[in-house]
Amino acid sequence: MVMILPGICQSLRWSALTSALTSALTSALTSAVAPSLPLNPSVLFQAMLGIFFSAKSAVLIEDVPFTEEDIRNDKNPPQNIYGLYNQVGINCFIAAGIYVAVGAVSLCQVRLNKRQEYMVT
């Protein structure tokens, strides 16, 4: 029991640090770039997830879609799992790109609708 507590405390400190860092980055980026770019905190989150999946973070193993057959039928054991990690990372980057594209279209539409000639008086 005594050996588990330092690990839990370290894990909680790491969790608090990463959440504080993520919120600080998100608020800094959205406040600095929001008027000119369609940056949503979801874009940053998806991009960070893509980076962590590409780095094959062990914490994210629960989110990798594998079955027991993937492990049993693998000739070189970690390669199937690593491939799934990479695929999920690519999916996260694609989602971040879609967020940026939709935000850019939305920003263009807002600016177009703010024009005086399109306003109804």
Side-chain angles (χ1 to χ4, degrees):
M1 178 83 171
V2 175
M3 297 301 286
I4 295 173
L5 286 178
I8 292 173
C9 291
Q10 184 178 7
S11 170
L12 289 176
R13 276 186 259 143
W14 177 251
S15 173
L17 177 67
T18 55
S19 66
L21 181 63
T22 303
S23 65
L25 277 173
T26 303
S27 64
L29 286 174
T30 53
S31 65
V33 187
S36 61
L37 278 177
L39 185 65
N40 189 344
S42 301
V43 174
L44 182 63
F45 179 72
Q46 289 292 331
M48 288 176 64
L49 274 178
I51 291 168
F52 293 139
F53 273 114
S54 297
K56 296 164 188 64
S57 176
V59 176
L60 298 172
I61 191 69
E62 295 174 356
D63 297 318
V64 177
F66 66 90
T67 61
E68 286 189 27
E69 288 89 28
D70 292 333
I71 296 172
R72 288 185 189 159
N73 297 335
D74 196 6
K75 306 296 183 212
N76 194 358
Q79 295 308 314
N80 275 349
I81 304 301
Y82 288 166
L84 290 171
Y85 264 111
N86 288 332
Q87 184 60 44
V88 173
I90 290 169
N91 290 345
C92 288
F93 288 130
I94 290 170
I98 291 171
Y99 273 123
V100 169
V102 168
V105 169
S106 174
L107 183 68
C108 289
Q109 290 297 315
V110 167
R111 289 191 178 180
L112 183 67
N113 288 334
K114 282 187 177 180
R115 286 183 151 172
Q116 191 68 18
E117 60 200 42
Y118 292 111
M119 294 186 75
V120 177
T121 55

